[in-house]
Amino acid sequence: MASSASRYHRRRSSGTRDERYRSDVHTEAVQAALAKHKERKVAVPMPSKRRSLVVQTSMDAYTPPDTSSGSEEEGGQGEGTPTSSQGSIGMEHWISRAIHQGSTTSSSSSSTQSGGSNAPSTSPASTSIPQPVTPTLPAMLLNPASLAFVCCLHLLLLLIVYLCCCVPVSSRVSAKIQQLVNTLKQPRRPPLREFFVDDFEELLEVQQPDPNQPRPEGSQMVAIRGEPLGVVTNWPPSLEAALQRWGTISPKAPCLTTMDTNGKPLYVLTYGKLWSRSIKVAYNILHKLGTKQEPMVRPGDRVALVFPNNDPAAFMVAFYGCLLAEVVPVPIEVPLTRKDAGSQQIGFLLGSCGVTVALTSDACHKGLPKGPTGEIPQFKGWPKLLWFVTESKHLSKPPRDWFPHIKDANNDTAYIEYKTCKDGSVLGVTVTRIALLTHCQALTQSCGYTEAEIIVNVLDFKKDVGLWHGILTSVMNMMHVISIPYSLMKVNPLSWIQKVCQYKGKVACVKSRDMHWALVAHRDQRDVNLNSLRMLVVADGSNPWSISSCDAFLNVFQSKGLRPEVICPCASSAEALTVAIRRWEDNQPPGRGVLSMQGLSYSVIRVDSEERLSVLTVQDVGTVMPGALMCVVKPEGVPQLCRTDEIGELCVCSIATGMSYYGLSGMTKNTFEVFPMTSSGAPISEYPFTRTGLLGFIGPGGLVFVSGKMDGLMVVSGRRHNADDIVATALAVEPMKFVYRGRIAVFSVTVLHDERIVVVAEQRPDSTEEDSFQWMSRVLQAIDSIHNVGVFCLALVPANTLPKTPLGGIHLSETKQLFLEGSLHPCNVLMCPHTCVTNLPKPRQKQPEIGPASVMVGNLVSGKRIAQASGRDLGQIEDNDQARKVCFLFLSEVLQWRAQTTPDHVLFTLLSSRGTVLSSLTCLQLHKRAEKIAAMLMERGHLQDGDHVALVYPPGIDLVAAFYGCLYAGCVPITVRPPHPQNIATTLPTVKMIVEVSRSACVMTSQVISKLLKSKEASAAVDVRSWPLVLDTDDLPKKKPPQLYKPSNPDTLAYLDFSVSTTGMLAGVKMSHTATSAFCRSIKLQCELYPSREVAICLDPYCGLGFVLWCLCRTCVVVAEERPRIALTQSFSKLFKDLGLHPRAVSTSFGCRVNLAICLQGTSGPDPTTVYVDMRALRHDRVRLVERGSPHSLPLMESGKILPGVRIIIANPETKGPLGDSHLGEIWVHCTHNGSGYFTVYGDEALQSDHFNSHLSFGDTQTVWARTGYLGFLRRTELTDASGERHDALYVVGALDEAMELRGMRYHPIDIETSVIRTHKSIMECAVFPWTNLLVVVVELEGSEQEALDLVPLVTNAVLEEHYLIVGVVVVVDIGVIPINSRGEKQRMHLRDGFLADQLDPIYVAYNM
């Protein structure tokens, strides 16, 4: 005993923990468990945080004064001095690698550029975004004869425009990811059974029971009956009758003494005053509210009681006034602000109870929030209330002939006690008058209460044990209650002990935290004498961790007169009232048991030794209440009796329990009308039982033991864990003082069909990043060792920021809600999905490929046609002579013909950003300008036929003229985006590379850009001396060339189409004169481009379809980068609907490198269709059509209509065999306007032949196809196309280059990104990429940097739920960091390079373990 006491004295000096959970034995077990990890060097990368974020989470920014009125969950009062003699068990070895390999405050040079491009990579492929002239597009759309081509990026910019009219960090990213990969190579626990994955369904693993798990072996328990409730002759027939008796017989007897914050008696309420004032309140409630004809409150109505915790006298008068008026009081907490935690749910309870009147005290009424005119505002979710002050001076005196009708106790509702559920909802438990009286009688008998006894009450008097003992049972027995307000306890934690000594108190009602606070503060005070105390009721005795406080309190105060039998833990719940209480006169020693936590997790009782690490020591909470019957039933399913060695939910059959949840008949039936059954299915009683919400068992001698609460139960992979046990383990981790006042919340969230444990703790204001990470690492190890369960997420928040209950404890459900909605604002997060999520589907094993013949037979048997389709035939359509004449002309000849036949026809009009005309160009003007440029190329440039010329112009007429000038001179033009003046370092190398790779003999540009190419700034980025000849076309020669060039062969090169792919590959595609001419004819026919048509182009004019439309020739075509963005096109259509834009006018196109335009929505033919496919099937390269709104459904919009002269087939990208209708494969195209091949420096023939010159492995093996590199499928619809045939719709799913293979399945980044963007309103953009089998998610944050860490759990959860993937790294960056090219395509590979080269300057990088 002495050693135990001294051990306690060593410990208590650090008094910062929540002492409900303090246990020296458990602390030592945790330290021992951590010591076992000391030698195991696990490399866990430390998260990287921008310095500004680190600074803002410091003490100054995050330590508001603690204004709470007390704490239900808080730990020690003072911080004490951390002088634990045991010392801290060092874990430096465990995390040394993580700390030394990357400091969170080291710096590197910033890569964020000003200007047009925020691309972090300095690779030559980076491109700058030109200033888009998007505001002019709405004007173009209003013109009925206009055709607009716009890319997704510009569409998005247009929407935004129309609707709206530091210190960088180095994190050594790659080293940390390598650490993470090494960590993940360790075997995962537990082993999972092999199982078959259905072809079309990804099945989650089903957790199989452990064959070695403990199982209950005892016999079936029998219900235990409490002692008979004795009938005492002078017990009153009702509580009001008791008040009447004492109010008239002993009016001077003290009923209640209240204390001020100095511990001085503030007011003594006598029984006479209580009686007379209660009558006054009753009369005024019934007769002074409303009118005589229409009173506001009638007997049976519900009224709210709103009184502060320091005014029990006013509450008591109002409560008994309600009982006398036969009105039902609903005591609630005082609303301090309009947004109190849980306040809205309280409002719902009041509304459902039909409350219209709130009784309150004068002081409380004055302290309520007021509106501008002085009125009390309606709190969020609350009904409209009349606030009625119950002070006597405000009340009318009842007439002499008015007297309350006092009846015997009956089944009418006496009062409603509110109860907050696990999910945050608030229920009202109705207690009848007979239950109220019977409960008071049972407590009187159990506790041996007698008249005039003094009881010291520290508990909340509005509910639970504080209400039952300090307001109700005390009046029945004419006892004197000394009420200690929480404000006094905060100032003087010894106050309750001093009052016991001062008043010679016989009984005290406390919680274990009050015992601990007294221990911390007593400092060997000499005048303490507790021998008057015969009963110390421990209200939270049902918390297994209260045993430590009870033992320690007895150790210290036994020498001051405290007898061991005085400590009486009790168990209670809102539904069952007092469930059990230890009897003070019992001679039998208190019961305790040391139980295996492993056994408890399987609901089995296995006695263990205290030497073991993972044990739970429980004490008894006494025996069953008098007149009650108790049994233990299985928590889930049918209420079947448990075995004697099995943990279950305690159920009570008694008059003295709650009757119902007000207004909720279904929930009432499940809780208050339970009929426990034997294993044979027979009910054990004809009377219903009430579920208590407490988990436990009945031990030898009828002693009741509680091991936890249903509300705190978390079922993880089939095993049960109690939140309080996890809290205790976390608090036992050194340094214990790390957690601010022991404020820890533990709850579970459901992710991927299983519960996952989340731990949220408030950290001390002076904690460093290293402290935080070290403590989190140790907590993970401790919980793993003690409970054999993984923590899914561990979050640290600044001190005093978690939502509080009215008494200052943590509001658990509100904390969980903030976590789930991303509003918790943690300052540190550690997620461990790799160790916790063990029910992912098995990785896909690729089966041996099936032979070509089998595929053919399979398609025939299943009735599926080969997936192929074609556009209209070009030759059949062009039947007029003029068209036939034009179709065989070269592009240069077409311009000459136009200049002769329609010289004044305006070909191009250039608009400014305000929509005004800057310049225009007719057919003749373009022809003459092109002639002069050709002359310049021949004279000044001395260029030969076939020489390559780089055209470096901004979007405009000069670019068009230069292109035709090259054709006139026989040169091959290459359009190149000019460097951005504000961002030369990044954009100029790309220009230089294209000029070199394309072997350009000359660069043609404007005078401004010509100077820029040779400027000082340029010389810092490239070697300016190595430019080929640079010609500026601002000053052209006056004379014409001697003759215009005409190609000898239509298959010679017309121009080179250079572009950078989204994967960063720079390549030029050769376009012949034949292809160019066919291309123009095809688009002309599809879109009916006759001369009077106006085409609005808001596209990049340097490559692809954008270039073709610029330099050539009533719909708006969105040029899609991967697959059509349905939400964007729909929003666009909706926005411009009122301006006359027809919904059918908005559609998408599809083109790629090998063929710049494969699909384009024409003027005829059916509307584009949308289908919904199963994303899980897509991952397996299959298409399964589902209904809209189905789980895992993905909408795909048809990518325009196949152009004339284009044939499409869907082929297997691996076997090159044709696929059936509605099968996913690579889109192959055969067409006269296919590209001729890649133009590369080294001429990679293999690459060229594979992409531009492929053959099917069986079927039609003669046709030459070009491979688009895009996955998609064809589907024959019921619609009819222009030719009268059934329409074949093409759906593009995504690029093969961009697709990620993870866990053997193919994922398209856009699907994961869409899920991520939906998770939080602050995520503006997202990009994902794989790296060494890890999925990296980069999100752009719009908002405060404090929200950055909120995103980590949300992103991880969303990707797990929707895609069955574990995110390895979450990177939070500023807006604009994800590089996007001018076509609106994300440059994911550039982003990856920038991330690995540490150039992103991230706000936060989280490495999921």
Side-chain angles (χ1 to χ4, degrees), residues 133-143 146-151 154-155 158-159 162 911-913 915 1095-1099 1115-1117 1132 1136 1139 1141:
V133 289
T134 49
T136 64
L137 191 62
M140 301 304 300
L141 294 174
L142 296 179
N143 189 330
S146 70
L147 172 70
F149 291 89
V150 56
C151 79
H154 294 160
L155 192 60
L158 181 59
L159 277 172
Y162 197 76
L911 300 181
S912 71
S913 59
V1095 182
I1097 304 173
C1098 185
L1099 274 176
T1115 57
C1116 172
V1117 175
F1132 186 83
F1136 290 103
L1139 299 180
L1141 179 69

Side-chain angles (χ1 to χ4, degrees), residues 377-428:
Q378 190 169 341
F379 297 101
K380 189 178 179 185
W382 285 40
K384 198 168 170 102
L385 295 177
L386 172 71
W387 293 86
F388 185 68
V389 176
T390 58
E391 249 86 351
S392 268
K393 61 185 178 184
H394 298 289
L395 303 181
S396 306
K397 214 171 181 182
R400 288 175 178 272
D401 59 345
W402 190 87
F403 201 73
H405 179 49
I406 294 176
K407 299 188 289 191
D408 289 358
N410 56 18
N411 280 319
D412 293 346
T413 302
Y415 70 96
I416 293 175
E417 181 169 314
Y418 82 86
K419 178 218 171 168
T420 304
C421 299
K422 188 176 184 177
D423 62 359
S425 58
V426 173
L427 309 177

Side-chain angles (χ1 to χ4, degrees), residues 1257-1280:
S1257 57
F1258 63 92
D1260 174 9
T1261 56
Q1262 301 305 311
T1263 306
V1264 177
W1265 300 90
R1267 300 179 62 172
T1268 65
Y1270 281 84
L1271 289 170
F1273 61 95
L1274 278 165
R1275 177 173 167 266
R1276 177 152 283 185
T1277 66
E1278 298 301 319
L1279 304 170
T1280 307

Side-chain angles (χ1 to χ4, degrees), residues 717-967:
S717 299
R719 291 176 55 225
R720 294 178 170 84
H721 303 275
N722 209 283
D724 283 344
D725 300 344
I726 306 285
V727 170
T729 299
L731 284 171
V733 171
E734 294 280 5
M736 296 170 191
K737 64 181 181 187
F738 174 82
V739 180
Y740 179 71
R741 294 197 164 187
R743 291 173 62 80
I744 292 186
V746 171
F747 52 86
S748 64
V749 293
T750 302
V751 180
L752 213 63
H753 307 295
D754 199 1
E755 289 186 48
R756 317 288 178 188
I757 295 175
V758 178
V759 178
V760 182
E762 287 187 4
Q763 66 178 35
R764 284 173 62 94
D766 52 355
S767 305
T768 65
E769 292 293 299
E770 281 74 13
D771 290 344
S772 306
F773 188 68
Q774 194 168 21
W775 185 82
M776 289 195 290
S777 306
R778 290 172 177 169
V779 167
L780 295 178
Q781 291 175 349
I783 293 173
D784 179 67
S785 297
I786 301 289
H787 304 276
N788 199 23
V789 69
V791 175
F792 181 67
C793 178
L794 180 49
L796 297 178
V797 297
N800 267 331
T801 56
L802 287 180
K804 293 181 177 179
T805 60
L807 283 179
I810 294 173
H811 198 294
L812 197 63
S813 57
E814 198 83 2
T815 301
K816 179 176 177 178
Q817 187 58 37
L818 290 177
F819 174 82
L820 289 173
E821 66 189 28
S823 306
L824 193 62
H825 306 329
C827 47
N828 273 301
V829 168
L830 194 56
M831 302 221 36
C832 310
H834 289 98
T835 50
C836 293
V837 180
T838 55
N839 63 332
L840 285 173
K842 288 193 72 62
R844 175 186 175 200
Q845 303 293 325
K846 289 201 173 177
Q847 303 301 322
E849 292 295 348
I850 301 162
S854 306
V855 172
M856 193 76 87
V857 170
N859 283 328
L860 285 169
V861 169
S862 61
K864 283 191 175 169
R865 67 185 192 95
I866 294 294
Q868 56 184 349
S870 19
R872 293 180 291 169
D873 188 348
L874 269 175
Q876 291 174 0
I877 307 162
E878 298 173 334
D879 49 4
N880 65 63
D881 291 337
Q882 186 186 13
R884 192 169 287 117
K885 181 184 174 188
V886 173
C887 74
F888 295 111
L889 292 177
F890 292 104
L891 213 52
S892 54
E893 292 176 313
V894 173
L895 178 57
Q896 293 167 46
W897 175 67
R898 290 277 184 211
Q900 289 171 3
T901 55
T902 55
D904 298 325
H905 175 74
V906 177
L907 280 176
F908 295 95
T909 302
L910 188 66
L911 300 181
S912 71
S913 59
R914 295 185 178 179
T916 56
V917 175
L918 287 178
S919 58
S920 62
L921 204 62
T922 64
C923 296
L924 185 59
Q925 286 169 333
L926 177 58
H927 168 66
K928 286 186 173 179
R929 194 167 171 79
E931 281 185 325
K932 291 176 182 177
I933 290 171
M936 175 190 260
L937 285 169
M938 293 173 187
E939 287 183 11
R940 293 192 202 166
H942 307 293
L943 299 183
Q944 305 296 314
D945 297 354
D947 280 350
H948 296 183
V949 179
L951 309 183
V952 186
Y953 289 92
I957 287 170
D958 288 346
L959 176 67
V960 181
F963 176 80
Y964 282 96
C966 287
L967 295 187

